[in-house]
Amino acid sequence: MRRGIAALTLAAAITVSLTACGSDGSSGAAGSGPVTITWWDTSDATNEAPTFKVMVADFEKANPDVKVTYVNVPFADAQSKFQTAAGSKGAPDVLRADVGWTPAFAEAGYLAPLDGTDAAKDAAAFQPNLVRQAEYQGKLYGIPQVTDTLALMYNKELFAKAGITAAPTTWDELKADAAAVKEKTGVDGFAFNPQGYYAMPFLYGEGTDMIDVDGKRITVNSPAAVKGIDTLKALVASPGVAKLDTTSNGYADVMDAFGSGKAASIVQGPWESANVFKSQAFLKNDNLGIATLPAGSAGKAGAPLGGHNLVAYAGSDAAHQAAAQKFIAFMTSANSQVYTAGKNSTLPTRTDAYTPEVTRNLGIAGYQKVLASGQPRPELAQYSSLYDPLGTELIKILSGQESTKAGLDNVAAAAKKLIPDYATR
């Protein structure tokens, strides 16, 4: 039975004065009735959006002074559409923004700071490393709505058949485990999705990143980064590891192999948990193991933090911004996050939303344990744009078409074009 979001005490308690005039073309001028705000939701239209539509209706019931025009915008189009709309002063009052977009939009002046507003009144309840991804130059520009990170997903039954009693803690241990699984069960012990985002743990494992913000340097081709990608290259070429799939269907093929029991482990995020639990190998949900990714030679384990922030458009007038703040507070409240987690199997961003009800979901409980190893993205507007050149060169490197150093030098050159004020090696 659906839980009663309309009864959320936090949202009901928030009071905001909505006395200013409405934005051009929007309803809600002073004394004329409810203020109407527009929300662009970038969630999956089929699997996630229905949950948010219910929450919008519940918000309106609890807050009759605000109406919400809900628009589902495909995630792939949302960044460019918001940029265009914001540039012409026609952007939505609230946007569900990927964490990687927040610095760029803030730098462009498209977002309203939320420090000291009702939207941020519970900021202390959110996990600090997630709040960092909503900040830019000392100001808070978003409230974390949902988060994710990468972990090692593994098939406990296949590991047990190979005599493996615990998840690997180093990449060398994973290589040995993959070989053992292949020898004892005949299936691949590990499969890797060759995209730039999935390669980041190998950089973090060597204590480096693609860039160094404090030193304003491009580090993606540093000796440490080369060592990290060399570790990945050796891993995917090891016995017991699935042949690298560089086709356009590579992602789906890796997931199919894992779900059917033809691959014993993968690097993946919680957004696939619900699908994994529906697959043949994991109909018994407790067969899925979720562990912190192995550490590199620096003794560090790390994975990129992802997720989405709710941000407010700076071009809205005072009345619409106040209504937007009220809406953001409602949608990111503890009760709202409990409801969202229950319906969409996504990870809350607040510590008080990990209730016993939520953590009964084994996927959420598993990823909650690995969130501490998540690495916030640097506060750089262009950072997320570096994943594409890294992914392009990664395929060439892992396929033996070019050396690791040459490929990463190409990534560094692409980065230099994006951030010309950063020094290269």
Side-chain angles (χ1 to χ4, degrees):
M1 180 180 296
R2 182 173 66 82
R3 289 172 291 278
I5 287 293
L8 296 179
T9 56
L10 169 64
I14 298 174
T15 56
V16 181
S17 175
L18 304 177
T19 56
C21 295
S23 301
D24 291 343
S26 300
S27 63
S32 65
V35 171
T36 298
I37 61 172
T38 299
W39 177 38
W40 281 10
D41 172 28
T42 59
S43 70
D44 180 85
T46 301
N47 299 318
E48 296 180 317
T51 297
F52 294 128
K53 290 179 181 178
V54 169
M55 293 171 68
V56 166
D58 287 336
F59 169 78
E60 291 179 332
K61 291 177 184 176
N63 300 273
D65 55 348
V66 182
K67 297 297 180 184
V68 179
T69 299
Y70 174 92
V71 182
N72 184 268
V73 180
F75 177 79
D77 303 329
Q79 184 176 17
S80 61
K81 284 189 173 183
F82 184 81
Q83 287 173 326
T84 300
S88 61
K89 297 185 179 180
D93 301 284
V94 180
L95 171 71
R96 181 180 186 264
D98 181 271
V99 294
W101 305 346
T102 304
F105 290 160
E107 183 180 69
Y110 297 153
L111 304 184
L114 298 176
D115 307 85
T117 70
D118 281 314
K121 64 183 301 181
D122 281 353
F126 293 82
Q127 299 187 47
N129 56 354
L130 304 182
V131 173
R132 283 174 55 193
Q133 293 196 131
E135 295 176 335
Y136 183 72
Q137 294 186 346
K139 293 183 179 180
L140 182 68
Y141 286 97
I143 305 299
Q145 181 197 29
V146 65
T147 188
D148 59 63
T149 191
L150 295 175
L152 185 74
M153 281 187 173
Y154 63 98
N155 186 313
K156 292 180 180 179
E157 182 179 349
L158 289 174
F159 269 40
K161 287 181 178 179
I164 303 167
T165 58
T169 59
T170 67
W171 297 117
D172 283 341
E173 287 181 6
L174 179 57
K175 287 168 65 175
D177 288 348
V181 168
K182 186 71 170 182
E183 179 183 354
K184 298 294 178 63
T185 71
V187 306
D188 293 323
F190 178 68
F192 183 72
N193 176 34
Q195 295 179 3
Y197 190 76
Y198 288 80
M200 293 307 299
F202 294 86
L203 300 186
Y204 298 146
E206 302 303 324
T208 192
D209 200 335
M210 292 189 289
I211 51 97
D212 171 12
V213 172
D214 292 337
K216 299 193 72 172
R217 297 185 63 85
I218 295 168
T219 56
V220 71
N221 59 338
S222 65
V226 171
K227 186 172 184 179
I229 300 304
D230 275 343
T231 297
L232 171 57
K233 186 175 181 179
L235 174 62
V236 299
S238 298
V241 175
K243 181 180 178 181
L244 199 67
D245 189 338
T246 59
T247 69
S248 58
N249 292 325
Y251 182 97
D253 290 343
V254 167
M255 292 309 303
D256 287 345
F258 186 62
S260 63
K262 295 178 181 178
S265 63
I266 57 174
V267 175
Q268 192 51 275
W271 53 86
E272 288 289 358
S273 295
N275 291 328
V276 169
F277 286 139
K278 296 175 185 176
S279 64
Q280 187 62 38
F282 301 99
L283 294 179
K284 293 182 179 179
N285 287 182
D286 60 359
N287 188 40
L288 178 64
I290 300 171
T292 300
L293 287 172
S297 67
K300 297 180 179 179
L305 281 173
H308 294 82
N309 299 322
L310 292 186
V311 300
Y313 176 45
S316 299
D317 65 21
H320 288 76
Q321 286 198 24
Q325 294 160 12
K326 177 184 279 192
F327 179 67
I328 290 172
F330 181 98
M331 296 296 286
T332 58
S333 69
N335 285 352
S336 288
Q337 292 203 18
V338 168
Y339 179 74
T340 303
K343 290 294 185 179
N344 294 354
S345 295
T346 50
L347 269 68
T349 56
R350 303 170 58 120
T351 55
D352 54 357
Y354 284 91
T355 63
E357 178 185 13
V358 168
T359 54
R360 277 199 293 269
N361 181 312
L362 299 182
I364 293 177
Y367 274 93
Q368 181 192 14
K369 295 176 182 177
V370 307
L371 275 177
S373 66
Q375 301 290 316
R377 300 185 199 187
E379 192 179 280
L380 179 71
Q382 301 86 349
Y383 184 83
S384 293
S385 298
L386 301 178
Y387 290 132
D388 284 342
L390 176 60
T392 297
E393 298 301 326
L394 184 67
I395 289 176
K396 296 177 183 178
I397 293 169
L398 299 183
S399 301
Q401 299 175 41
E402 63 186 6
S403 70
T404 302
K405 183 63 167 63
L408 294 184
D409 281 344
N410 290 337
V411 180
K416 183 66 175 177
K417 293 179 181 179
L418 289 170
I419 41 177
D421 57 326
Y422 272 51
T424 54
R425 296 186 67 258

